[in-house]
C-alpha cells in the first residue's frame, strides 16, 4: 500500500488514529484494587471513631502514627518505581489495622516499629502488595507484642469508667482477667461474666451489652463488636468479603467453646459461654477484617472454608490452653502459612471432567 | 423470575446495553464502493481462489472453493467486477488475503426458488456448497458439524438464540423478524440430524423473541420447545447452553456430540433455510452496529466484505470520544485497528464504537489473590494461576491446569480488580502451546 494512500486516510479519519487495541474483554465491571482498599478503610471508620471516643487522644495519636509510618515506609521503598503503589491504599489500610491492634496508651514508638516491620519486612521483602504470604498488620502486631510484651499488655481503661468510680487508669481486658483468675481457681461458677464479678477480677462488672457496644478495655479498634459488624456488613454488600471465612471461623470457634468452654468453670460439656467469647477480645476484628484479607487467605470458596475452620480451631486452642489470653492473631498467622498448601490441595472442579451421564447414554 | 434454567457455576452479569439497538429493525445497507472479501472466514483449511482480476461475477457466484472437507466456499454477495488481491487484517488481527469486489449497479431479487430436498446427504452437500459456517462467531463449517461421526447420535438439537454478549441484538432482531425462517432452518437441521428433542434457547431479557419464536415453533412440523433461560453471561457459549438445557457437561476437550447434542446459532439456521429453500449462499449477515460512540445504533443486513468504516458511516458515524472499535461483542470481541480495510466476515455479529466511559481502561496492578476470577470461571479454571504459568513461560503447567478448557469468555478479566489481562494470557498460552506442538 502506498504511503500517499495511507496519508489520505489519516486526513479523512483522524479518529481512527487514536484507537485502543487490546485483548478482550473490552468492558469491565469497574472494580479496582484501590476501591477495595478504600471500602475496607470506610468499613473500619466507625470502630476507629469509637476507639478514639472511649480511649481519648492517645488512641488517636496511635492510629495516626501507625498510618503515617506504614505509608511513609511504603513511599520510601517504592521511590523510583513507576507507578508507585503508595497511593493504592494498601499501606494506609495496613497502618490503620496496626493502630486498631494497639493498646490505647502504648508508647508511640511501638506502632511506628510495628508498621515499619509490617511494610518493610512482611510485605516488601516478598515483593509488595499481593506477594506477601502473611498478613502484614498481624505480623507487625505479633512482632512488637513479643518485643515489648509488657507495654503491649498494659490496657488503658475506657475514660468513662473513672466517672463510675474507678480510680485506676489501667486494668486487664476481660479475657486477661479470666485467664489470670483461672490460675488458682477451683470450684464452680456459671460462666466468665459471673466469674469476673464474683472474684472482682475487673474494676467494674462487665455485661454482654458492654462487650457488644465496646465499653471495655482492649485494643483501640477491637472493642466494639457492633461497629465492626456494621463495617463488615458494608463490605459484604460491596462484595469485598464473602461468607465463607467469617461463617466457618465463627462457627467452628463457637462450637468448640460451647462444647468445652464450660469445663474451666467446673461445669460439664456443652455449657460454654459462646456469646462472651464471640464478643470479647480481638475475635470480631480478626475474623471480619484480618482473616478475610484477600492476599493471605485461600483463593477458592472451599479453601476459605478450610481456612476458617482451621483458624477457629486454633483460636480456641490458644485461648483455652495457651499461655496468652488472646489467640486470634496467632491463629490467623498460622493459617496464613497453610494457605499455599490449601490452594494447591483445593482446586475448583473443572467443567466436563467428572463422570458423564451423556457417556452412558451414548454407549 | 425464579426456576429458570441456566448453567451450573460461575458467570457474570454485565449491563446488557441492548436497549441501544434492540428496537431497531434490520435494515439493508447502501452498498460500499468496494467489498473486501477475505478468503479465510472460517475455522479450517483456506479455500482456493477461483476468479481473476477484472472478471465479471454475478451475485452468488463462487469466488473461492472449499479447500478440503473442513473448509467452506466463499460466494459473491452481489454482482460486480473483481478488483485487486490484497493483504488485510481480519477482525481478530490475523493477516489474510482478500479479494476486492466492485459492485455493479443494484439489481433485483437474484435467487430462484428451488424445491427442497429431504435427503440428509443432499442437504448437507447443499449447506456445504452454500458456504454456511457457524454465525455465532466461531465460524466452524456447519456441514462438518452436521456430519455426525459413526456411533454417535444427536439426541438433542439446540437452536441458540441466547445472544448473551452485551450490546448485540442481531440474533434478537432475526428471531423477531425471521422467526418462521429460523423454524424452517431448524426443521432442515432436524431432517439431517434426526434428534429426539429440539429446543430453542433464549435468555429471558428478550421476552418478545421468546413469544415470536414460540408462535413460530407452534406451527412447525416437529415438536420444538422454546426454553427461556435466566440472564447470565456466558450462557450463549456452546458448552454452557448445553448444560443449561440438557444438564450435561461436554467433556473437557470434547465436542458437543459427545453428550449427544448439536447446537446451531439462530443466524446460522436462517442461513441454512436460505441456502436450502432459496439456494442463497451465505453472502450477507445481520450486524449490530452499536455502542455509545455510534450516532445511530442499529442492525444492518451487510454483505460479507463490507469494510467496517462503511458500516460505521452508514450508522451515522462515530462521535469524537470513541476510543475502541470492537468487532463482535464487548466480552469476546476484537479491537479493530484498521477499520478502512477490515471487513464484515461470516462471523461478525456486531461492530461497536465504545467510548472511554464505557471501557474504563485503567492500569494493571498486582494480583491481590481475591479469587474472583476463580469464582466467575464457568469451566472451573483458576485464571490467576494459569496467567502466572503462562507469564513464567511454563506451558506444561498451564496445560496441566486446563489451559485448553478456557472458553475465552472474558468473565475473569471482566471482574479482575487488578485489571490483569487474564484472557490475553490464556490466548497467548494456547498459541505458545500450539507453536510448540507444531515445532516438535
Amino acid at each position: 500500500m502506498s504511503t500517499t494512500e495511507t496519508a489520505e486516510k489519516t486526513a479523512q479519519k483522524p479518529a481512527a488514529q487514536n484507537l485502543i487495541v487490546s485483548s478482550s474483554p473490552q468492558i469491565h465491571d469497574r472494580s479496582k484494587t484501590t476501591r477495595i482498599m478504600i471500602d475496607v478503610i470506610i468499613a473500619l471508620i466507625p470502630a476507629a471513631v469509637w476507639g478514639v471516643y472511649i480511649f481519648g487522644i492517645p488512641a488517636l495519636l496511635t492510629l495516626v502514627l501507625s498510618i503515617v509510618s506504614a505509608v511513609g515506609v511504603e513511599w520510601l521503598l517504592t521511590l523510583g518505581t513507576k507507578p508507585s503503589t503508595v497511593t493504592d491504599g494498601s499501606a494506609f489500610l495496613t497502618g490503620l489495622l496496626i493502630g486498631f491492634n494497639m493498646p490505647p496508651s502504648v508508647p508511640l514508638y511501638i506502632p511506628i516499629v510495628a508498621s515499619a516491620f509490617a511494610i518493610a519486612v512482611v510485605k516488601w521483602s516478598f515483593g509488595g502488595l499481593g506477594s506477601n504470604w502473611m498478613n502484614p498488620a498481624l505480623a507487625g502486631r505479633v512482632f512488637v507484642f513479643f518485643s515489648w510484651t509488657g507495654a503491649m499488655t498494659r490496657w488503658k481503661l475506657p475514660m468513662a469508667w473513672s466517672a463510675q468510680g474507678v480510680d485506676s487508669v489501667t486494668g486487664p481486658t476481660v479475657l486477661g482477667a479470666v485467664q489470670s483468675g483461672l490460675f488458682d481457681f477451683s470450684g464452680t461458677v456459671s460462666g466468665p461474666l459471673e466469674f469476673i464479678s464474683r472474684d472482682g477480677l475487673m474494676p467494674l462488672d462487665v455485661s454482654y451489652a458492654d462487650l457488644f457496644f465496646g465499653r471495655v478495655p482492649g485494643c483501640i479498634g477491637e472493642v466494639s463488636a457492633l461497629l465492626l459488624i456494621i463495617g463488615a456488613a458494608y463490605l459484604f454488600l460491596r462484595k469485598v468479603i464473602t461468607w465463607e471465612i467469617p461463617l466457618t471461623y465463627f462457627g467452628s470457634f463457637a462450637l468448640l467453646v460451647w462444647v468445652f468452654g464450660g469445663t474451666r468453670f467446673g461445669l460439664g460439656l456443652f455449657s460454654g459461654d459462646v456469646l462472651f467469647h464471640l464478643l470479647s477480645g480481638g475475635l470480631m476484628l480478626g475474623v471480619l477484617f484480618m482473616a478475610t484479607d484477600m492476599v493471605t487467605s485461600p483463593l477458592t470458596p472451599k479453601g476459605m472454608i478450610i481456612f476458617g475452620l482451621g483458624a477457629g480451631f486454633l483460636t480456641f486452642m490458644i485461648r483455652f490452653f495457651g499461655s496468652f489470653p488472646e489467640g486470634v492473631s496467632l491463629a490467623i498467622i498460622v493459617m496464613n502459612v497453610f494457605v499455599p498448601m490449601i490452594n494447591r490441595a483445593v482446586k475448583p472442579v473443572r467443567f466436563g471432567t467428572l463422570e458423564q451421564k451423556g457417556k452412558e447414554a451414548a454407549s | 423470575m425464579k426456576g429458570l434454567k441456566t448453567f451450573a457455576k460461575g458467570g457474570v452479569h454485565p449491563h446488557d446495553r441492548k436497549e441501544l439497538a434492540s428496537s431497531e429493525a434490520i435494515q439493508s445497507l447502501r452498498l460500499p464502493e468496494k467489498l473486501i472479501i477475505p478468503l479465510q472466514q472460517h475455522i479450517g483449511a483456506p479455500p482456493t481462489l477461483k476468479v481473476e482480476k477484472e472478471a465479471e461475477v454475478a451475485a452468488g457466484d463462487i469466488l473461492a472453493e472449499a479447500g478440503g472437507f473442513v473448509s467452506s466456499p466463499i460466494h459473491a454477495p452481489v454482482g460486480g467486477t473483481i478488483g485487486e488481491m490484497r493483504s488485510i487484517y481480519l477482525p481478530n488481527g490475523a493477516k489474510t488475503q482478500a479479494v476486492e469486489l466492485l459492485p455493479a449497479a443494484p439489481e433485483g431479487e437474484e435467487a430462484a426458488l428451488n424445491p427442497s430436498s429431504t435427503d440428509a446427504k443432499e442437504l448437507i452437500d447443499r449447506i456445504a456448497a452454500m458456504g454456511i459456517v457457524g454465525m455465532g462467531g466461531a465460524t466452524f463449517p456447519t456441514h462438518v458439524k452436521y456430519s455426525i461421526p459413526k456411533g454417535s447420535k444427536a439426541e438433542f438439537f439446540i437452536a441458540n438464540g441466547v445472544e448473551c454478549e452485551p450490546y448485540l441484538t442481531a440474533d434478537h432482531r432475526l428471531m423477531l423478524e425471521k422467526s418462521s425462517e429460523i423454524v424452517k432452518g431448524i426443521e432442515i437441521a432436524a431432517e439431517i440430524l434426526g434428534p429426539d428433542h429440539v429446543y430453542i434457547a433464549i435468555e429471558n431479557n428478550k421476552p418478545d423473541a421468546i413469544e415470536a419464536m414460540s408462535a413460530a415453533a407452534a406451527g412447525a412440523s416437529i415438536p420444538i420447545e422454546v426454553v427461556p433461560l435466566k440472564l447470565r453471561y456466558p450462557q450463549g457459549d456452546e458448552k454452557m447452553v448445553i448444560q443449561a438445557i440438557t444438564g450435561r457437561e461436554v467433556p473437557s476437550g470434547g465436542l458437543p456430540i459427545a453428550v449427544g447434542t448439536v447446537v446451531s446459532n439462530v443466524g446460522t439456521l436462517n442461513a441454512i433455510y436460505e441456502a436450502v429453500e432459496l439456494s442463497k449462499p451465505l453472502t450477507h449477515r445481520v450486524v449490530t452496529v452499536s455502542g455509545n460512540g455510534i450516532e445511530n445504533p442499529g442492525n444492518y443486513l451487510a454483505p460479507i466484505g463490507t469494510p467496517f468504516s462503511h458500516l460505521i458511516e452508514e450508522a451515522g458515524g462515530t462521535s469524537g470520544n470513541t476510543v475502541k472499535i470492537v468487532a463482535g461483542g464487548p466480552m469476546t470481541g476484537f479491537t479493530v485497528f484498521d477499520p478502512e480495510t477490515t471487513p464484515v466476515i461470516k462471523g461478525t455479529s456486531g461492530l461497536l464504537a465504545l467510548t472511554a466511559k464505557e471501557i474504563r481502561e485503567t492500569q494493571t496492578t498486582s494480583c491481590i489473590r481475591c479469587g474472583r476470577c476463580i469464582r466467575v470461571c464457568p469451566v472451573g479454571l483458576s485464571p490467576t494461576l494459569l496467567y502466572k504459568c503462562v507469564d513464567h513461560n511454563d506451558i506444561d503447567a498451564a496445560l496441566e491446569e486446563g489451559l485448553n478448557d478456557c472458553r475465552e469468555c472474558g468473565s475473569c478479566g471482566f471482574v479482575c480488580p487488578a485489571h490483569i489481562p487474564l484472557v490475553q494470557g490464556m490466548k497467548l498460552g494456547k498459541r505458545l502451546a500450539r507453536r510448540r506442538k507444531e515445532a516438535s
Side-chain angles (χ1 to χ4, degrees):
Chain A
M1 199 187 301
S2 71
T3 46
T4 49
E5 201 182 339
T6 318
E8 197 180 278
K9 271 179 205 156
T10 315
Q12 279 172 354
K13 294 255 180 273
Q17 294 304 300
N18 297 317
L19 293 175
I20 297 171
V21 174
S22 59
S23 173
S24 61
Q26 314 296 352
I27 51 174
H28 196 274
D29 71 358
R30 299 201 240 163
S31 63
K32 227 176 150 182
T33 303
T34 306
R35 179 68 220 189
I36 292 174
M37 299 299 164
I38 291 171
D39 273 336
V40 182
I41 292 165
I42 290 172
L44 288 170
I45 284 174
V49 170
W50 177 257
V52 172
Y53 171 72
I54 61 161
F55 296 123
I57 297 302
L60 180 66
L61 272 178
T62 305
L63 288 179
V64 169
L65 281 176
S66 307
I67 294 168
V68 169
S69 167
V71 174
V73 172
E74 177 95 4
W75 175 76
L76 270 177
L77 291 175
T78 56
L79 270 182
T81 58
K82 221 170 75 170
S84 169
T85 50
V86 76
T87 52
D88 69 11
S90 64
F92 188 102
L93 178 58
T94 299
L96 182 60
L97 282 171
I98 283 173
F100 266 49
N101 278 294
M102 292 291 141
S105 58
V106 75
L108 292 175
Y109 59 86
I110 291 182
I112 294 176
V113 172
S115 283
F117 181 82
I119 299 291
V121 179
V122 185
K123 185 179 176 190
W124 273 101
S125 62
F126 293 96
L129 179 64
S131 301
N132 53 289
W133 48 274
M134 196 180 266
N135 186 315
L138 281 182
R141 172 195 146 92
V142 169
F143 176 71
V144 295
F145 183 86
F146 287 113
S147 305
W148 292 286
T149 311
M152 286 296 288
T153 49
R154 199 171 301 122
W155 307 96
K156 185 178 187 296
L157 299 176
M159 294 191 299
W161 282 24
S162 61
Q164 288 168 267
V166 177
D167 295 332
S168 49
V169 182
T170 61
T173 64
V174 287
L175 285 176
V178 170
Q179 176 95 359
S180 54
L182 281 170
F183 271 126
D184 48 3
F185 171 76
S186 63
T188 307
V189 64
S190 73
L193 287 181
E194 197 208 320
F195 184 53
I196 287 169
S197 155
R198 193 194 70 174
D199 290 10
L201 297 170
M202 300 278 294
L204 274 181
D205 284 355
V206 173
S207 68
Y208 290 122
D210 291 331
L211 291 170
F212 183 65
F213 292 109
R215 295 186 296 252
V216 287
C219 288
I220 296 167
E222 74 181 17
V223 287
S224 175
L226 170 69
L227 296 175
L228 290 169
I229 290 170
I230 290 174
Y234 169 75
L235 290 186
F236 191 77
L237 288 177
R238 296 277 310 161
K239 296 191 172 142
V240 172
I241 61 172
T242 52
W243 62 268
E244 287 91 354
I245 290 176
L247 207 72
T248 53
Y249 195 154
F250 283 134
S252 61
F253 177 72
L255 184 74
L256 289 166
V257 169
W258 177 61
V259 175
F260 300 108
T263 54
R264 301 201 293 179
F265 302 107
L267 305 169
L269 293 175
F270 309 108
S271 57
D273 190 340
V274 172
L275 195 58
F276 171 81
H277 273 281
L278 287 183
L279 296 177
S280 56
L283 191 75
M284 280 294 159
L285 179 63
V287 174
L288 297 174
F289 293 91
M290 316 284 247
T292 54
D293 172 38
M294 291 169 171
V295 176
T296 53
S297 62
L299 289 164
T300 61
K302 261 186 229 157
M304 289 176 174
I305 290 170
I306 295 172
F307 180 89
L309 293 175
F313 171 75
L314 286 175
T315 305
F316 167 79
M317 292 303 280
I318 298 170
R319 270 199 188 179
F320 283 74
F321 303 110
S323 50
F324 294 108
E326 175 63 284
V328 174
S329 313
L330 283 173
I332 295 175
I333 280 186
V334 170
M335 288 313 291
N336 285 165
V337 178
F338 284 108
V339 165
M341 246 157 90
I342 296 174
N343 281 340
R344 250 194 301 273
V346 184
K347 281 184 185 159
V349 179
R350 272 156 57 194
F351 190 95
T353 53
L354 288 180
E355 201 63 54
Q356 289 299 312
K357 275 187 244 160
K359 267 186 191 156
E360 296 158 23
S363 60
Chain B
M1 284 245 227
K2 276 179 194 154
L4 286 175
K5 286 187 173 184
T6 185
F7 55 98
K9 70 175 165 191
V12 291
H13 294 96
H15 191 304
D16 74 5
R17 309 267 176 222
K18 302 223 189 235
E19 71 284 355
L20 287 171
S22 62
S23 56
E24 300 293 326
I26 299 168
Q27 42 189 307
S28 54
L29 197 69
R30 193 172 57 85
L31 279 177
E33 286 168 34
K34 229 186 251 183
L35 294 175
I36 302 167
I37 303 172
L39 301 184
Q40 182 78 55
Q41 298 192 27
H42 50 263
I43 292 180
T48 36
L49 189 67
K50 284 288 155 189
V51 289
E52 281 173 1
K53 198 182 165 188
E54 279 166 21
E56 298 287 331
V57 294
D61 280 1
I62 285 192
L63 298 180
E65 267 177 2
F69 179 61
V70 185
S71 183
S72 191
I74 309 283
H75 302 77
V78 294
T81 317
I82 299 296
E84 305 278 343
M85 273 298 282
R86 59 193 291 187
S87 171
I88 58 138
Y89 291 101
L90 286 177
N92 67 7
K95 217 168 184 178
T96 189
Q97 288 296 307
V99 61
E100 286 183 356
L101 174 62
L102 310 162
E107 59 226 281
E109 275 301 307
E110 65 275 16
L113 270 139
N114 267 29
S116 63
S117 163
T118 51
D119 177 62
K121 177 81 183 68
E122 243 171 73
L123 288 172
I124 287 186
D125 287 347
R126 172 68 68 89
I127 286 170
M130 293 296 149
I132 312 290
V133 299
M135 291 169 79
T139 64
F140 188 71
T142 303
H143 64 276
V144 182
K145 195 187 242 184
Y146 286 6
S147 303
I148 306 296
K150 274 215 168 67
S152 298
K153 159 140 176 68
E155 295 167 65
F156 303 99
F157 179 79
I158 301 171
N160 187 353
V162 174
E163 201 170 47
C164 58
E165 275 271 11
Y167 294 93
L168 302 188
T169 54
D171 289 349
H172 184 184
R173 290 310 308 182
L174 263 182
M175 288 190 283
L176 292 180
E177 297 174 35
K178 304 265 180 193
S179 34
S180 58
E181 287 85 344
I182 293 168
V183 167
K184 279 180 190 144
I186 294 172
E187 286 172 347
I188 295 164
E191 193 74 52
I192 297 169
L193 299 164
D196 303 329
H197 306 279
V198 179
Y199 302 99
I200 303 173
I202 307 172
E203 275 187 341
N204 72 336
N205 61 343
K206 300 182 264 291
D208 48 352
I210 293 171
E211 206 175 300
M213 291 312 298
S214 300
S221 59
I222 49 168
I224 300 175
E225 190 190 335
V226 176
V227 187
L229 299 175
K230 199 175 151 190
L231 182 63
R232 191 167 163 212
Y233 182 88
Q235 191 130 249
D237 178 272
E238 204 166 52
K239 289 190 175 186
M240 297 306 123
V241 77
I242 290 172
Q243 190 187 33
I245 291 200
T246 70
R248 295 180 179 180
E249 282 186 21
V250 178
S252 163
L255 291 171
I257 194 64
V259 291
T261 311
V262 175
V263 183
S264 273
N265 171 268
V266 289
T268 315
L269 290 162
N270 180 54
I272 288 174
Y273 158 77
E274 290 184 349
V276 172
E277 299 283 330
L278 311 176
S279 291
K280 256 171 92 173
L282 174 47
T283 58
H284 291 67
R285 69 153 299 140
V286 182
V287 182
T288 300
V289 185
S290 188
N292 282 332
I294 292 285
E295 289 295 331
N296 309 313
N299 304 288
Y300 294 88
L301 185 65
I304 303 302
T306 307
F308 282 160
S309 56
H310 178 76
L311 203 48
I312 290 171
E313 262 167 54
E314 290 299 297
T318 57
S319 66
N321 55 1
T322 296
V323 292
K324 262 185 193 177
I325 292 181
V326 178
M331 294 296 285
T332 59
F334 300 95
T335 43
V336 175
F337 45 89
D338 192 8
E340 302 294 317
T341 65
T342 300
V344 171
I345 61 172
K346 291 174 180 176
T348 308
S349 46
L351 182 59
L352 311 175
L354 301 179
T355 59
K357 218 176 143 190
E358 282 169 292
I359 64 161
R360 309 261 165 191
E361 192 85 348
T362 185
Q363 229 141 23
T364 297
T365 51
S366 304
C367 171
I368 53 168
R369 295 190 247 167
C370 63
R372 288 181 185 178
C373 54
I374 298 173
R375 280 177 194 260
V376 300
C377 180
V379 288
L381 300 177
S382 304
T384 172
L385 181 63
L386 284 168
Y387 184 85
K388 265 175 214 157
C389 293
V390 174
D391 200 32
H392 296 176
N393 202 12
D394 191 349
I395 304 300
D396 285 323
L399 291 171
E400 187 74 16
E401 294 295 334
L403 176 65
N404 282 330
D405 283 352
C406 172
R407 310 291 292 161
E408 299 174 17
C409 69
S411 296
C412 52
F414 179 75
V415 299
C416 178
H419 293 253
I420 296 168
L422 294 164
V423 179
Q424 190 173 347
M426 308 299 149
K427 289 181 177 178
L428 175 66
K430 285 181 185 176
R431 183 164 284 216
L432 290 174
R434 228 176 5 248
R435 189 176 294 173
R436 210 185 47 176
K437 206 174 159 191
E438 280 160 12
S440 66

